[in-house]
Amino acid sequence: MESLPYSPDLNRLQEVRPALEKRAAILRAVRDFFHRHGFLEVDTPVRIRAPAPEEYIDAEPSGDCFLRTSPELHMKRMLAAGYEKIFQIGPCFRAGERGDRHRPEFAMLEWYRAHADYSDILLDTKAMIVSAARAVLNTTSLTYQGRAIELVPVWEHLTVQEAFLRWARWDPLKKFDPDRFDEDLVTKVEPSLPRDVPTVLTDYPVERAALSRPSAKDPRVAERWELYIGGLELANAYSELTDSAEQKQRFAHSRMLRELENKAAYPEDGDFIRALEIGIPPSGGIALGLDRLVMLLTDSASIDDVTAFEE
Amino acid sequence: MYNASDLRKGLKVEIDGEPYMITEFNFVKPGKGQALYRCKLKSMVTGSTFDKTYRSVDRIDKCNLEERDMIYSFQEGDHYVFMDAETYEQVHIAAEVVGDKKYFLIEDMEVDILFHNDRPIEIMLPNFIEKTVAHTEPGARGDTATNVLKPATLDNGYEIQVPLFVNEGDRIKIDTRDGSYAGRVS
């Protein structure tokens, strides 16, 4: 490549080019995967009226609307209308999130399957990540930040309770302490998770169910898992909550918590609530940080290494 | 007060009345959980470090630091006496705060001193100073290699490695940041 006069912006663009070429190949492999498996690619609005109220996720205002923090509610409305397998790749925005693995604007991959649950979504995830790795690396053995990882065949499964008993030495299902849960998850559990195989942390305490449904087997936990590969938290999946009464209750609870913390109030998404009342089939869904998948497959330490511009 | 979201590498904060610098900083956020701000903090007085994780609701004290131009006057027992270049006020600084920098103090030399709430915590020397070699063995005749070093001693007892061609009575330049030889003046 021709060398340019000194210009931090343009020099940076030249440096990240190999990563961006891989990023494009990953995007193509991901799209191919979903098309091959009969998923419909959809685009839902980026600028929305009513973000889902979540205690710790803050939407950026945009005029009299907000930028989406996730396409979740719109995609679930499509499930209610009979779309059974849909996926979307696009930007999402979360105020105040900036670090090696966070940017206020990032690329999200979400997909939903009707008549399915979180274990069906896990199969999709495994197959999708393996096919993306094969497409860009020609192998399923990779190295991330100096450690070898085998993507096939075994993925480690750990319940949140097992992981906390083992590394934080308390039981989050007995008495849930939200502050201690977050801090121990980040400082004790995550650093101890296996690094050489993908690890699925599953069955979160219902207090951290977010929009997932409670387990039929154990009412103390929700059908939610998170995927970690090489120490990177890549994705969050649910058996979707489709009970409209419980959903309204959870939204009301999150609204109250947001109000207590003096955070922006969001209008109610009436269309989403109506879709739930009419009926969303039992479904599984997932949000995967696409930038982090690119970090993993390009052995990049920071999200800034896999994006063209630093805003 | 700082908010947790103001924290970043290099920021100076006050914890339990003591000044600390953030030497490592990381923003982390578990899925659906709260933002956490992980810091490694280094005491600006003792140099000891510890890890601390802040939450969004935490508030952190600002650190009242001030740099003053001072002039080094003389040593008095286990204290070193400096004079404020503007007010002529004398300040006594304990030997443990001065540390190994005592070897590089020269009378009437200007230094910057960092004060935390009027307590001196760090002396910032010029990067280079000049000193006279008090003692060193003569180098072997004809050996002009500059990468071979021999020990030398300054008049204050400081030991330094110098090239073979440096003789007793020579003025040499010393880099105060790592205490190494940086050239011969005469």
Side-chain angles (χ1 to χ4, degrees):
Chain A
M1 211 173 345
E2 213 174 311
S3 76
L4 292 167
Y6 176 71
S7 149
D9 181 48
L10 302 185
N11 295 151
R12 196 190 112 75
L13 283 172
Q14 286 195 328
E15 270 169 36
V16 297
R17 184 167 178 153
L20 294 189
E21 286 173 356
K22 277 197 179 159
R23 184 184 177 107
I26 292 164
L27 268 169
R28 171 184 289 201
V30 168
R31 282 209 162 85
D32 281 352
F33 174 86
F34 285 107
H35 287 302
R36 220 164 46 235
H37 289 86
F39 281 77
L40 178 71
E41 180 162 14
V42 300
D43 285 298
T44 63
V46 171
R47 193 168 170 276
I48 61 174
R49 214 179 42 78
E54 297 198 54
E55 191 182 357
Y56 300 120
I57 297 180
D58 296 315
E60 297 272 6
S62 168
D64 54 356
C65 285
F66 294 92
L67 299 178
R68 66 179 180 188
T69 58
S70 147
E72 185 164 3
L73 302 190
H74 285 84
M75 290 181 80
K76 286 186 184 169
R77 280 157 67 184
M78 298 184 80
L79 291 174
Y83 292 80
E84 295 191 331
K85 289 156 81 175
I86 49 177
F87 81 101
Q88 175 163 201
I89 295 172
C92 289
F93 303 83
R94 294 182 180 180
E97 301 195 4
R98 190 69 174 94
D100 286 349
R101 296 169 184 190
H102 293 85
R103 277 191 166 197
E105 176 179 349
F106 61 101
M108 188 86 106
L109 161 63
E110 293 209 3
W111 72 93
Y112 293 83
R113 246 184 202 276
H115 313 295
D117 68 9
Y118 72 155
S119 45
D120 301 299
I121 296 292
L122 185 56
L123 290 178
D124 290 338
T125 307
K126 198 166 172 177
M128 187 276 288
I129 290 178
V130 164
S131 83
R134 287 214 172 102
V136 290
L137 303 172
N138 254 325
T139 170
T140 52
S141 309
L142 52 109
T143 301
Y144 185 68
Q145 303 298 296
R147 283 174 194 257
I149 302 167
E150 287 298 333
L151 290 180
V152 283
V154 182
W155 284 21
E156 178 89 22
H157 286 243
L158 269 172
T159 67
V160 170
Q161 186 188 35
E162 284 166 347
F164 269 74
L165 286 174
R166 194 176 304 173
W167 294 303
R169 309 220 166 260
W170 62 286
D171 185 351
L173 302 188
K174 276 224 175 95
K175 191 180 179 303
F176 185 76
D177 176 339
D179 289 343
R180 195 173 166 207
F181 184 80
D182 287 337
E183 189 165 337
D184 283 357
L185 180 57
V186 162
T187 58
K188 295 180 180 166
V189 175
E190 287 184 357
S192 309
L193 293 173
R195 295 280 170 119
D196 51 347
V197 287
T199 301
V200 181
L201 201 55
T202 186
D203 296 353
Y204 278 68
V206 282
E207 290 85 352
R208 280 293 150 81
L211 302 187
S212 63
R213 91 179 163 211
S215 162
K217 287 173 281 178
D218 182 351
R220 296 173 303 166
V221 301
E223 292 191 355
R224 171 185 165 205
W225 56 254
E226 293 238 1
L227 171 63
Y228 292 85
I229 306 183
L232 283 173
E233 179 207 331
L234 280 182
N236 175 53
Y238 304 146
S239 297
E240 299 296 342
L241 177 65
T242 51
D243 177 328
S244 64
E246 174 149 8
Q247 182 67 81
K248 278 191 238 176
Q249 224 171 51
R250 288 203 203 161
F251 277 169
H253 185 65
S254 298
R255 283 210 174 82
M256 185 192 71
L257 292 175
R258 290 184 61 84
E259 206 177 306
L260 280 174
E261 294 199 18
N262 236 336
K263 291 182 160 186
Y266 305 139
E268 185 177 88
D269 188 336
D271 291 319
F272 172 65
I273 296 295
R274 206 144 37 247
L276 275 173
E277 284 165 352
I278 290 168
I280 293 177
S283 303
I286 180 169
L288 182 146
L290 199 69
D291 306 283
R292 293 193 193 161
L293 179 62
V294 178
M295 285 170 67
L296 176 74
L297 298 179
T298 56
D299 192 14
S300 302
S302 165
I303 192 168
D304 298 332
D305 301 333
V306 298
T307 43
F309 296 96
E310 282 183 309
E311 287 299 324
Chain B
M1 300 280 267
Y2 290 115
N3 291 317
S5 59
D6 298 326
L7 300 180
R8 61 184 185 279
K9 192 174 166 176
L11 192 73
K12 290 156 186 160
V13 298
E14 190 171 292
I15 300 166
D16 298 331
E18 292 291 308
Y20 285 85
M21 190 199 284
I22 299 174
T23 54
E24 281 175 38
F25 174 77
N26 214 348
F27 172 87
V28 291
K29 195 166 188 261
K32 304 294 173 191
Q34 59 190 307
L36 296 169
Y37 304 82
R38 300 189 71 182
C39 299
K40 189 178 276 298
L41 293 143
K42 182 176 179 187
S43 164
M44 296 177 67
V45 176
T46 65
S48 64
T49 63
F50 74 103
D51 295 322
K52 190 163 167 66
T53 300
Y54 290 98
R55 299 186 297 131
S56 306
V57 292
D58 290 331
R59 299 288 174 268
I60 303 98
D61 283 325
K62 287 188 177 174
C63 194
N64 176 26
L65 293 170
E66 187 197 2
E67 249 181 67
R68 287 191 219 156
D69 282 347
M70 308 282 288
I71 294 161
Y72 173 58
S73 301
F74 52 87
Q75 184 183 357
E76 191 180 81
D78 56 359
H79 281 76
Y80 292 78
V81 182
F82 295 82
M83 187 180 72
D84 191 305
E86 274 174 40
T87 63
Y88 304 116
E89 177 200 353
Q90 278 198 346
V91 177
H92 287 62
I93 301 184
E96 70 228 37
V97 175
V98 179
D100 284 346
K101 288 175 182 165
K102 67 183 178 191
Y103 293 117
F104 308 132
L105 287 173
I106 298 166
E107 274 178 34
D108 297 328
M109 173 184 186
E110 281 189 38
V111 296
D112 284 334
I113 296 184
L114 188 64
F115 287 81
H116 172 241
N117 295 333
D118 290 326
R119 173 171 67 135
I121 58 168
E122 195 186 347
I123 295 169
M124 288 170 285
L125 299 171
N127 288 346
F128 297 98
I129 55 149
E130 289 176 20
K131 280 282 199 185
T132 303
V133 174
H135 175 75
T136 188
E137 298 294 332
R141 179 188 292 270
D143 194 343
T144 55
T146 52
N147 56 348
V148 180
L149 301 174
K150 62 173 183 176
T153 313
L154 306 183
D155 53 8
N156 58 21
Y158 182 73
E159 280 192 26
I160 187 168
Q161 294 290 317
V162 299
L164 297 179
F165 57 77
V166 171
N167 300 313
E168 278 182 16
D170 282 354
R171 295 280 289 170
I172 58 169
K173 203 154 96 172
I174 298 171
D175 187 331
T176 62
R177 289 163 295 188
D178 59 6
S180 68
Y181 171 86
R184 184 163 64 163
V185 184
S186 61

